[in-house]
């Protein structure tokens, strides 16, 4: 629900949000939801029972007249300007999360809840019948009617508002003034909903078509209008000339206010013209049919390859002429392409969803319905049933269409320092086999590059977890090197030489066994690493050696069983042979683990998979993929019995030789129920234990170069004006210059531990914010496809506003804004009245809720909620200075963030802490020999000189959005710069033309034709 539904609601009139106002709103929702549901749902409602989880989250158990139940969760959180509320719909597990803006006055809450409940009811009813939503809105101002005269989901929300206002206009417990205000609001909505003609009666040419359309809308809405709404419409659904003086005066005042509000909203948003068509649509503005998605994906992939080849040739030509191209640079794609700047050079390897062999992303079209608003696509066009997973072919079409809006290189890139300290991008194209080109292309970075390279690398089995975790060999080497630097300063013999060798070894990819052997060979130095440290630092230093030992075992297993010891990402990107083994162990139980298991089971019909880890997180039960996979492949009735689960702690990888001399894998564990010690054995092993927190690969070389020159790296969290997280920023300070780089996409939810140190607790608070914005009941998580599309669209809008001169458009903060701190709502003690709604006896239960969380279903005496409007304003959040690279934070991680971090299984798989592995007992290795030095940096300053891209002719005026009736679809286009004016024709579907051929594209924009 946004302010366009009622232009009288102007965000500038709303109070600042914060925990106090959030608390007021949540308690008001608990108090009023029953009355609102009774009015909006009418005879379809049997009961609505309030409940509360152990951590204080409020929800309601709804029982409807069909005998079905649903859980409705309510929270008040920061939303974007213009947004009053939205609802995440999960028809897979019947959970619906209503998120209200924490800037909303409590007096307006009832009407907002009525709108969201109206939409929610429409989604449930339509999904129960397997029907896609109605695409066009009927209730809109003007004489034009859609081809099919049915109510959309948004229309049902609007009728919910009307019914609520009608009830309040006659509510005996309200004052006459409050009743009149509700009547005036009801009347005002008839204009934007098209149920009343707005043209003057004297202008018959305009008035008559509007009058006919208003009658149609009234007729189609009749079945969902309450008796009170029908009575008011009889009186108010007339031209202003035919209204009573009092009603006419009230309507004129509402129209005047609406006009002022529209101007304020327009000025605030700053709409911009764009030339980008909406992805996934043909030139007639129609979604691509489902049966054409796969061939369309192939055509778009070919077209993208052509655009990439043309871009590479142009860059090569500039470099051959001694010019160093100066370009905006974006590295990485995926869902973050919603924020794609058409004028930027995109370097993306077309990974993840282009390689995933699965059927689609793990969410349904219902769960990702807001892709229409943020990516400009229609997810329902990609599925047969709205409860089904979105097709992988649709995702590929969407991403390739967005990628080719400007120049793109199918390849990888890393940022580097030039000889004069300038920031360069080293670009390497990818061959058909996925290998990088030997010769790089060099591009000078114009402005702030952005990185969106997706999920970070996965953990190796046996890595120490918990408060003093060491997540990777890279982190272990870094921490040991830092300690060696201290010892070097104290004059310890050999410390400096060992630190220099470790640096070279890590950068050159020396195996972990050699690194561990070198450290073990110098006993005095190894003992000195822990000497004199406090307990925590000593434990962490020991964990460094455990991490190296675990990595050594992992590397040895991969060598001994090539193709059968795999990282989860290798399975997800189809870089493996599913028939290499028949018995597979998948270590880890989060979203990535079960997705990998599904891929193996589908691609190898003879395979059996055992998932070993903690209990699958609740979030999986709210997705489409996991319950269906468990039913199909599990040991339940009708299952294929090829999928098993073991709940156990997992340590480092263990191998053994079978009777044939083949390397196999084993995982000892203790059975939960009997405590019996058992061993799971397999010939294939996949680790999906979670993800590490390093710098993105595109920045690792740059970080090394900055440190080698004595520079510093600092980081900030990036938020827009509405306290929406849009990624993190890094500042590389070296030789008197500063280079800034922004990280977007899924990678932005894994803060690099070397910059945002664990002691600050900032990662836990970020995770807590992500889970609050997207609870597990939504079936989604902050790094998921649709949430990243939203984040990147908001980032593009904020960056555009900053470029236009707004200094506060992008805020760099050192911590999470206070508005994201969950208010203390207390426990569910003596909070419920036990009263039923006016629909009769309560038949509600906690059926369908997560077991163990329900604190009751409504007994006792309800506590008095805070009075409306008692929330205090949040102090202004000052922009924070970047924190030094190794600064020790004084804030401790909040328990809430740590406890709920496990729910974000796309960020870190919720596997229990692995069993610590004893320190390696490997015999001392040979005397360390220096590893090869890394290749020298680019000699960019000696020959080519940076040149700005040539100015292109003005792009043609943009055409109207091809799908203007998709709610909120205009938001995807707002803030996106114009560009791409000289693009080759794209492979869109149009009935009167054939698919494009394979001719080479013409040179494109900004490439120096």
């Amino acid at each position: 629900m946004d302010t366009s539904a009622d232009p009288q609601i102007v965000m500038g009139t709303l109070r600042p949000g914060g925990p106090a106002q959030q608390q007021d709103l949540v308690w008001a929702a608990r108090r009023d939801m029953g009355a609102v549901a009774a009015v909006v749902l009418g005879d379809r409602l049997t009961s609505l029972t309030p409940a509360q989880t152990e951590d204080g989250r409020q929800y309601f158990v709804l029982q409807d007249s069909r005998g079905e139940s649903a859980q409705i969760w309510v929270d008040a959180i920061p939303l974007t300007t213009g947004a009053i509320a939205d609802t995440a719909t999960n028809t897979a597990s019947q959970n619906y999360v209503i998120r209200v803006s924490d800037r909303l006055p409590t007096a307006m809450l009832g009407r907002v809840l009525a709108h969201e409940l109206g939409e929610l009811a429409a989604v449930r009813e339509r999904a129960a019948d397997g029907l896609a939503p109605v695409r066009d809105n009927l209730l809109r101002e003007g004489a034009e009617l859609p081809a099919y005269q049915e109510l959309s989901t948004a229309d049902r929300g609007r009728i919910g508002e009307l019914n609520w206002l009608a009830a309040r206009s006659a509510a005996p417990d309200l004052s006459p003034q409050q009743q009149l205000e509700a009547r005036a609001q009801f009347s005002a909505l008839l204009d934007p909903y098209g149920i009343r003609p707005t043209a003057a009666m004297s202008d018959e040419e305009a008035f008559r078509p509007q009058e006919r359309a208003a009658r149609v809308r009234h007729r189609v809405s009749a079945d969902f209008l309450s008796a009170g709404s029908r009575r008011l419409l009889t009186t108010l659904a007339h031209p202003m000339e035919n209204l009573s003086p009092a009603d006419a005066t009230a309507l004129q005042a509402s129209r005047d206010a609406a006009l002022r509000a529209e101007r304020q909203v327009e000025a605030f948003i700053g709409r911009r013209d764009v030339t980008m068509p909406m992805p996934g649509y043909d030139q007639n503005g129609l979604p691509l049919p489902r049966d054409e998605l796969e061939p369309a994906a192939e055509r778009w992939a070919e077209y993208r390859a052509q655009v990439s080849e043309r871009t590479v040739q142009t860059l090569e030509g500039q470099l051959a002429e001694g010019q160093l191209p100066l370009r905006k640079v974006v590295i990485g794609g995926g869902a973050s392409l919603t924020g794609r700047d058409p004028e930027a050079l995109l370097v993306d390897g077309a990974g993840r969803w282009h390689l995933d062999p699965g059927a689609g992303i793990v969410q349904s079209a219902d769960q990702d319905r807001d892709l229409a608003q943020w990516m400009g696509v229609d997810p329902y066009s990609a599925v047969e049933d709205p409860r089904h997973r979105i097709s992988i072919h649709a995702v590929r079409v969407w991403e390739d269409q967005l990628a080719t809006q400007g120049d793109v290189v199918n390849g990888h890139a890393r940022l580097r320092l030039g000889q004069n300290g300038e920031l360069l991008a080293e670009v390497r194209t990818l061959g058909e086999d996925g290998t990088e080109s030997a010769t790089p292309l060099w591009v000078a970075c114009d402005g702030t590059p952005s990185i969106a390279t997706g999920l970070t690398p996965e953990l190796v089995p046996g890595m120490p977890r918990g408060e003093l975790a060491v997540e990777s060999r890279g982190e272990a080497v870094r921490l040991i090197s830092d300690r060696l630097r201290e010892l070097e300063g104290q004059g310890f013999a050999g410390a400096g030489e060992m630190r220099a060798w470790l640096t070279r070894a890590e950068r050159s990819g020396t195996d972990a066994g050699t690194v561990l052997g070198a450290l073990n060979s110098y006993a005095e130095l190894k003992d000195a690493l822990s000497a004199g440290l406090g307990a925590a630092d000593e434990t962490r230093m020991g964990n460094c050696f455990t991490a190296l030992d675990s990595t050594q075992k992992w590397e040895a297993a991969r060598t001994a069983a090539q193709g059968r010891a795999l990282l989860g990402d290798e399975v997800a990107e189809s870089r493996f042979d599913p028939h290499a083994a028949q018995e597979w162990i998948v270590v880890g139980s989060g979203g990535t683990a079960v997705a990998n298991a599904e891929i193996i089971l589908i691609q190898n019909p003879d395979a059996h998979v055992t998932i070993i880890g903690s209990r699958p997180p609740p979030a999986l039960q709210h997705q489409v993929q996991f319950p269906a996979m468990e039913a199909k492949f599990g040991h339940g009735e009708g299952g294929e019995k090829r999928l098993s689960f073991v709940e156990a702690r997992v340590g480092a990888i263990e191998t053994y030789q079978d009777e044939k001399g083949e390397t196999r894998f084993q995982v000892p564990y203790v059975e939960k129920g009997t405590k019996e010690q058992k061993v799971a054995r397999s010939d294939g092993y996949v680790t999906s234990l979670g993800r590490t927190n390093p710098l993105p690969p595109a920045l690792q070389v740059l970080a090394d170069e900055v440190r080698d020159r004595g520079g510093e790296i600092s980081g900030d969290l990036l938020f827009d004006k509405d306290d929406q997280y849009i990624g993190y920023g890094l500042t590389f300070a070296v030789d008197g210059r500063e280079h800034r780089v922004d990280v977007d996409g899924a990678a932005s939810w894994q803060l690099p531990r070397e910059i945002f140190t664990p002691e600050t607790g900032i990662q836990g608070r970020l995770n807590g914010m992500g889970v609050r914005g997207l609870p597990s009941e939504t079936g989604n998580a902050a790094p998921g496809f649709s949430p990243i599309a939203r984040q990147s669209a908001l980032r593009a809008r904020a960056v555009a506003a900053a470029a236009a001169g707004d200094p506060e458009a992008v805020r760099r903060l050192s911590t999470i804004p206070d508005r994201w701190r969950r208010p203390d709502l207390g426990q569910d003690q003596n909070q419920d009245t036990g009263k039923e709604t006016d629909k009769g006896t309560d038949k509600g239960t906690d059926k369908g809720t997560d077991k163990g969380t329900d604190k009751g279903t409504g007994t006792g005496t309800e506590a008095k909620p805070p009075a409306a409007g008692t929330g205090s304003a949040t102090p202004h959040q000052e922009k924070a200075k970047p924190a030094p690279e190794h600064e020790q934070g004084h804030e401790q991680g909040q328990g809430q963030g740590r406890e709920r971090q496990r729910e974000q299984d796309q960020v870190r798989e919720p596997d229990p802490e692995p069993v610590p592995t004893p320190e390696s007992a490997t015999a001392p290795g040979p005397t360390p020999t220096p590893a090869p030095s890394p290749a020298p940096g680019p000699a960019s300053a000696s020959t080519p000189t940076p040149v700005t891209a040539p100015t292109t002719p003005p792009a043609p005026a943009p055409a109207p959005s091809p799908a203007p009736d998709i709610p909120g679809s205009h938001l995807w286009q707002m803030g996106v710069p114009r560009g791409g004016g000289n693009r080759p024709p794209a492979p869109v579907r149009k009935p009167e033309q054939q698919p494009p051929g394979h001719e080479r594209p013409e040179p494109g924009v900004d490439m120096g034709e």
Side-chain angles (χ1 to χ4, degrees):
M1 180 179 180
D2 58 43
T3 53
S4 62
D6 181 1
Q8 295 179 88
I9 303 174
V10 183
M11 299 307 289
T13 67
L14 304 186
R15 69 180 63 198
Q21 176 67 0
Q22 293 170 10
Q23 185 181 50
D24 289 351
L25 285 165
V26 172
W27 278 116
R30 186 179 184 86
R31 178 193 64 207
D32 298 339
M33 182 67 92
V36 175
V39 169
V40 174
L41 301 180
D43 293 337
R44 289 163 290 164
L45 174 68
T46 299
S47 66
L48 188 80
T49 308
Q52 183 174 325
T53 63
E54 291 180 349
D55 62 353
R57 293 193 300 144
Q58 307 276 0
Y59 69 100
F60 303 85
V61 181
L62 179 148
Q63 290 282 340
D64 62 25
S65 58
R66 293 188 179 192
E68 298 174 352
S69 65
Q71 286 68 242
I72 303 174
W73 304 77
V74 179
D75 199 0
I77 63 173
L79 296 180
T80 58
T81 295
I84 298 173
D86 65 22
T87 298
T89 58
N90 188 347
T91 51
S93 65
Q94 290 299 313
N95 280 269
Y96 302 85
V97 181
I98 298 176
R99 297 166 293 201
V100 179
S101 171
D102 66 351
R103 294 182 290 182
L104 186 75
T106 53
M108 295 171 56
L109 180 63
R111 177 177 162 187
V112 170
L113 291 176
H115 183 106
E116 298 305 310
L117 281 176
E119 286 199 7
L120 187 156
V123 169
R124 293 189 71 227
E125 293 164 12
R126 182 253 313 141
D129 296 329
L131 300 176
V134 177
R135 184 177 174 215
D136 297 330
N137 293 329
L138 177 67
L139 301 184
R140 61 185 185 189
E141 189 173 358
E144 184 180 357
L145 294 171
Y148 298 98
Q149 294 168 7
E150 299 178 74
L151 295 178
S152 68
T153 301
D155 290 336
R156 291 283 298 277
R158 292 161 184 159
I159 289 179
E161 285 188 76
L162 292 176
N163 289 346
W164 174 246
L165 292 172
R168 287 183 61 81
S169 71
D173 58 332
L174 297 183
S175 67
Q177 180 61 33
Q178 290 174 314
Q179 293 175 346
L180 288 175
E181 289 175 358
R183 179 186 179 97
Q185 291 177 23
F186 182 101
S187 179
L189 289 181
L190 302 184
D191 283 0
Y193 296 171
I195 306 178
R196 173 201 290 128
T198 56
M201 294 181 66
S202 57
D203 183 2
E204 287 209 15
E205 185 177 353
F207 176 79
R208 292 303 175 191
Q210 288 187 12
E211 184 183 39
R212 288 192 293 271
R215 289 174 180 171
V216 170
R217 296 183 180 107
H218 191 170
R219 173 177 53 80
V220 175
S221 304
D223 288 343
F224 300 97
L225 293 168
S226 65
S229 289
R230 289 193 291 270
R231 284 194 296 271
L232 275 184
L233 284 172
T234 301
T235 304
L236 298 174
H238 302 290
M240 181 180 289
E241 294 90 332
N242 291 343
L243 295 178
S244 69
D247 288 329
T249 300
L251 178 57
Q252 186 60 57
S254 297
R255 288 180 175 178
D256 292 342
L259 182 60
R260 291 192 300 271
E262 280 184 340
R263 290 171 179 166
Q264 290 186 38
V265 172
E266 183 80 13
F268 181 87
I269 293 177
R271 301 176 188 268
R272 301 173 185 275
D273 289 338
V274 296
T275 57
M276 293 164 59
M278 296 178 72
Y281 290 78
D282 63 22
Q283 291 177 348
N284 298 317
L286 299 175
L288 296 174
R290 286 189 300 275
D291 58 359
E292 292 190 18
L293 287 174
E294 185 170 3
E298 295 175 359
R299 291 197 302 270
W300 274 103
E302 293 171 0
Y303 174 69
R304 175 172 172 155
Q306 294 173 15
V307 175
S308 174
E309 183 180 355
R310 182 221 59 207
T311 304
V312 168
Q313 290 178 349
T314 306
L315 294 174
E316 288 175 337
Q318 289 180 296
L319 291 167
E321 294 175 359
Q323 298 178 337
L324 182 61
L326 179 64
R327 299 295 304 272
K328 298 178 183 178
V329 174
V330 175
I331 303 174
S336 66
L337 290 170
T338 53
R340 201 260 198 260
D341 182 348
E343 296 178 356
L345 171 66
L346 171 68
V347 184
D348 177 37
R352 191 60 182 101
W353 298 116
H354 285 78
L355 303 175
D356 193 308
I361 59 179
V362 298
Q363 284 82 27
S364 68
D366 274 340
Q367 290 171 323
D368 280 349
R369 65 176 184 153
D370 59 353
L371 279 172
Q373 178 178 2
W374 301 113
M375 185 175 263
V377 301
D378 182 4
Y380 292 103
S381 68
V383 294
E384 183 177 351
D385 187 293
R387 296 163 292 186
H388 290 175
R389 293 161 63 179
I390 296 176
S391 163
I392 198 72
H393 303 300
V395 172
R396 292 169 182 167
V397 169
W398 299 340
E399 290 188 0
D400 283 346
Q401 187 168 352
L402 288 169
T404 53
Q405 296 297 326
D407 293 313
V408 61
V409 173
N410 287 345
H412 297 156
R414 55 187 61 86
L415 298 183
R416 305 287 299 273
L417 287 177
Q419 288 187 348
N420 293 333
E422 64 271 41
L423 190 60
L424 306 178
E426 177 190 8
V427 180
R428 295 182 184 269
T429 58
L430 295 178
E432 292 184 3
D433 59 353
T435 58
E436 293 184 352
S437 60
T439 304
L441 301 169
W442 296 100
V443 176
C445 298
D446 182 14
T448 301
S450 63
I451 311 293
T453 46
L455 295 172
T456 54
E458 293 178 292
L459 284 164
V460 167
M463 287 293 167
R465 304 287 285 272
E467 186 177 356
L468 300 173
V470 177
E471 296 185 336
S472 66
R473 60 166 283 174
E475 183 176 15
V477 169
R478 176 174 58 82
L479 292 173
I480 292 173
S481 295
D482 289 346
R483 177 59 175 157
L484 286 170
R485 181 184 289 109
E486 294 176 2
L487 294 176
E488 182 183 9
Q490 297 168 11
F492 196 97
E497 291 79 359
M498 178 63 78
R499 184 172 64 84
W501 184 86
L502 281 178
T503 299
R504 291 192 298 269
E506 184 66 17
R507 295 182 186 179
S508 62
T510 302
D511 64 275
T514 300
V515 172
L516 191 58
L519 290 167
N520 286 332
S521 68
Y522 198 161
E524 283 188 34
L525 183 59
K526 181 181 178 182
D527 291 341
L529 289 172
S530 300
L533 297 179
D537 289 336
E538 184 178 357
T539 300
R540 179 168 284 152
M541 186 57 59
N543 286 342
C544 290
F545 283 86
T546 301
L548 289 172
D549 182 66
S550 297
T551 305
Q552 177 190 25
K553 292 177 180 177
W554 174 250
E555 292 174 351
R558 283 172 68 86
T559 300
Q562 292 188 12
R564 294 188 286 117
L566 304 169
L567 294 169
D569 286 342
E570 293 176 292
V571 176
E573 296 177 359
S574 201
R575 293 184 281 125
F576 83 116
D577 178 6
H579 299 279
Q582 302 305 312
E583 291 288 334
W584 290 87
I585 286 175
V586 175
V587 174
S589 58
T592 301
V594 299
N596 292 335
E598 181 188 50
I599 290 170
I600 294 171
L601 291 166
I602 291 175
Q603 295 198 348
N604 183 352
D606 298 321
H608 182 276
V609 176
T610 301
I611 295 178
I612 303 179
S614 62
R615 180 180 302 174
L620 294 185
Q621 296 293 345
H622 297 296
Q623 294 178 349
V624 180
Q625 176 200 36
F626 180 67
M629 165 190 161
E630 191 176 23
K632 178 175 175 59
F633 300 114
H635 289 259
E637 184 178 353
E640 297 181 10
K641 298 177 175 55
R642 294 196 291 131
L643 175 64
S644 303
F645 293 87
V646 172
E647 189 175 343
R649 301 178 67 195
V650 182
I653 192 169
E654 296 186 17
T655 61
Y656 70 97
Q657 304 293 315
D658 65 10
E659 61 276 6
K660 297 180 180 179
E662 292 285 333
T663 298
R664 291 173 58 85
F665 309 98
Q666 65 181 16
V667 178
Y669 66 92
V670 177
E671 194 172 64
K672 183 180 179 182
T674 64
K675 306 299 181 183
E676 182 181 354
Q677 293 187 355
K678 294 186 176 181
V679 177
R681 293 185 171 90
S682 71
D683 48 355
Y685 189 105
V686 180
T687 178
S688 297
L689 284 166
R691 300 200 176 266
T692 58
N693 291 52
L695 283 166
L699 296 177
Q700 288 174 352
V701 174
L702 173 64
D704 291 339
E705 292 174 341
V706 168
R707 293 189 182 102
D708 289 346
R709 298 191 189 189
E712 294 184 351
I713 309 171
S714 58
D716 318 271
L717 303 182
L718 305 181
F719 289 85
D720 67 10
K721 282 185 171 181
D722 298 315
D723 288 329
Q724 305 298 302
Y725 181 64
I726 56 175
Y728 68 82
L730 298 175
T731 301
F732 297 83
V734 60
D735 298 334
R737 303 176 66 170
E738 285 190 348
H739 299 295
R740 280 185 170 173
V741 180
D742 291 346
V743 179
D744 187 18
S748 68
W749 287 87
Q750 291 294 105
L751 303 177
R753 288 160 65 91
E754 60 192 280
I755 310 299
F756 302 89
T757 57
E759 291 80 5
T760 64
I762 191 65
Q763 182 69 65
R765 287 192 290 276
L766 181 66
N767 291 344
M769 181 188 71
V771 172
R772 186 175 180 199
L774 281 167
S776 63
E777 291 81 15
T778 65
N780 238 313
F785 187 84
S786 181
I788 290 302
R790 175 186 182 274
Q791 174 182 311
S792 298
L794 291 175
R795 179 182 178 277
R797 187 188 305 181
V799 169
D806 184 350
E808 293 295 320
V810 177
R811 302 161 60 219
R812 296 179 176 270
L813 307 179
S814 61
T815 190
I816 307 300
D818 188 60
R819 290 173 66 194
W820 284 104
R821 177 172 57 84
R822 186 182 295 278
D824 183 9
L825 298 175
Q827 293 299 308
D828 189 16
Q829 298 174 351
N830 301 322
Q831 290 174 348
D832 298 318
T833 62
K835 297 178 181 178
E836 311 302 339
T837 67
D838 58 355
K839 298 304 297 179
T841 304
D842 182 9
K843 300 178 183 178
T845 68
D846 61 350
K847 177 182 178 182
T849 61
D850 292 336
K851 294 181 179 180
T853 62
D854 191 4
K855 295 291 293 182
T857 55
T859 59
T861 305
E862 183 174 11
K864 183 179 180 181
T870 59
S872 59
T874 304
H876 176 68
Q877 176 70 60
E878 298 292 340
K879 290 195 297 182
K881 296 180 179 179
E885 177 183 353
H886 296 293
E887 180 181 358
Q888 300 295 316
H890 297 290
E891 300 178 65
Q892 298 299 314
Q894 293 178 348
Q896 166 193 314
R898 289 196 298 268
E899 292 169 4
R900 307 200 66 199
Q901 177 178 353
R902 291 157 64 92
E903 293 191 26
Q904 292 208 70
D905 50 277
Q906 276 94 346
V907 178
R908 176 181 302 286
E909 306 304 337
D911 201 75
E913 181 182 348
V915 179
T917 305
E919 187 177 307
S920 174
T922 306
T927 302
T929 56
S933 298
S940 62
S942 57
T943 49
T945 56
V947 293
T948 57
T951 303
T952 57
S961 168
D965 295 322
I966 293 182
S969 62
H970 66 285
L971 296 179
W972 169 73
Q973 299 180 337
M974 287 156 49
V976 179
R978 297 183 63 171
N982 199 17
R983 307 298 304 159
V988 291
R989 174 181 177 269
K990 190 174 183 180
E992 60 268 25
Q993 67 180 23
Q994 296 299 317
H998 297 281
E999 64 277 4
R1000 185 180 304 280
E1002 294 299 321
V1005 177
D1006 295 343
M1007 292 305 300
E1009 295 179 51

